[in-house]
Amino acid sequence: MNLLQWVRSILFSTQATIMLPVIGLLYAPWAMVSKRGAYAGCRAYARWVIWTAKWMINLRCEVRGTVPTIEALVAAKHQSFLDILMIYNALPASKFIMKSQLRYAPFLGQYVTKMQFVFVDRGKRGAAITKMLADVKAGLRDPGQLVIYPQGTRSAPGTKMPYKVGTAVLYEQLGQPCYPVATNAGVFWPRRGLYRRPGVAVVEFLEPIASGLGRNEFVAELEKRIETASDALLEETGVAHQYSNN
């Protein structure tokens, strides 16, 4: 870590924090009356962060693979706030499953509520999934790509965490293809701390898993694809040895 990159990281993080309410207020009149406005506001913020990261901290964001445009389940590796922004910006009509505490976050909570994202209480995931499926069947949610983090939380690069059954339940009951997504974003934008490493952060949309597999077979295939691809992306960074003890 060098001093100049530390200074750049602090400046970048400060402006990104400030711009959240600024963009939130700018888009608020449109977002209050239209779901399209809420989506546009969130996309504007994601693009702002991605753009400023490129020239402020020399961090370029790259999306690989075929991004789904059809109704599909998207099961993504989650390492960083950055991978959320990159996936959201890449998908044409995303709907995220997210922890219920974010419902009360300033600006963000109001926006994602307007967009009908799915909030999950810790320990009550089954009830949330049941409600979400009922809403989908009742036509209360617009078609799009439903994004879930199968490990349930952020994990550091190189860390192995169990894949939870909720993703398999959604896959089974929705009857849609599932697009696994790998990432190395946590190398450059870690879960904690202000330092941002320069380089190329990648989210990679992998070949979809067709509908019809059994739960256990699906989970095993999903984990194999995501972990293999994420490990390969970690190797690309040239600092994989720093995470070998995770």
Side-chain angles (χ1 to χ4, degrees):
M1 299 183 187
N2 61 68
L3 179 59
L4 180 58
Q5 190 65 22
W6 261 108
V7 173
R8 288 173 172 171
S9 298
I10 292 170
L11 291 174
F12 168 77
S13 298
T14 300
Q15 66 84 25
T17 301
I18 291 172
M19 288 304 295
L20 179 60
V22 170
I23 292 175
L25 285 171
L26 286 173
Y27 280 83
W30 187 13
M32 288 175 62
V33 298
S34 169
K35 189 185 299 184
R36 287 184 60 192
Y39 269 99
C42 289
R43 198 172 301 278
Y45 180 72
R47 290 177 175 175
W48 174 267
V49 172
I50 291 169
W51 177 66
T52 54
K54 184 176 181 179
W55 59 269
M56 290 190 74
I57 54 175
N58 197 24
L59 175 56
R60 185 162 58 87
C61 298
E62 181 178 315
V63 176
R64 298 179 185 171
T66 302
V67 178
T69 57
I70 61 172
E71 279 195 276
L73 181 64
V74 175
K77 185 78 171 176
H78 184 26
Q79 296 180 350
S80 168
F81 180 56
L82 180 60
D83 58 63
I84 297 176
L85 297 178
M86 292 173 68
I87 291 171
Y88 177 81
N89 189 52
L91 292 170
S94 59
K95 300 170 288 185
F96 281 70
I97 295 178
M98 57 197 342
K99 59 185 180 181
S100 59
Q101 295 94 318
L102 293 176
R103 185 196 302 267
Y104 308 105
F107 297 101
L108 176 63
Q110 288 78 10
Y111 272 73
V112 295
T113 298
K114 183 69 174 180
M115 293 186 288
Q116 295 183 316
F117 281 21
V118 181
F119 296 102
V120 177
D121 291 325
R122 299 265 177 163
K124 298 180 180 179
R125 181 178 291 269
I129 290 173
T130 299
K131 181 181 183 303
M132 182 207 63
L133 288 170
D135 288 351
V136 170
K137 291 177 181 178
L140 298 179
R141 298 188 185 279
D142 296 333
Q145 301 81 41
L146 181 63
V147 183
I148 187 170
Y149 295 106
Q151 293 173 300
T153 188
R154 286 175 292 182
S155 60
T159 299
K160 307 301 180 186
M161 296 178 63
Y163 280 58
K164 299 184 177 181
V165 71
T167 306
V169 173
L170 287 172
Y171 165 81
E172 181 181 75
Q173 297 194 33
L174 291 176
Q176 299 172 351
C178 176
Y179 285 74
V181 179
T183 190
N184 61 10
V187 171
F188 307 97
W189 186 318
R191 180 175 181 177
R192 295 184 177 88
L194 291 174
Y195 187 79
R196 305 289 181 256
R197 188 191 297 270
V200 181
V202 178
V203 294
E204 183 176 4
F205 288 82
L206 308 173
E207 286 298 312
I209 300 173
S211 60
L213 296 182
R215 287 189 187 181
N216 292 338
E217 185 181 3
F218 167 74
V219 172
E221 182 65 19
L222 179 69
E223 181 174 359
K224 182 180 74 173
R225 293 193 190 189
I226 291 178
E227 295 302 318
T228 300
S230 292
D231 287 345
L233 292 176
L234 176 58
E235 288 291 335
E236 282 187 23
T237 67
V239 295
H241 62 281
Q242 298 182 18
Y243 299 91
S244 58
N245 294 324
N246 285 336

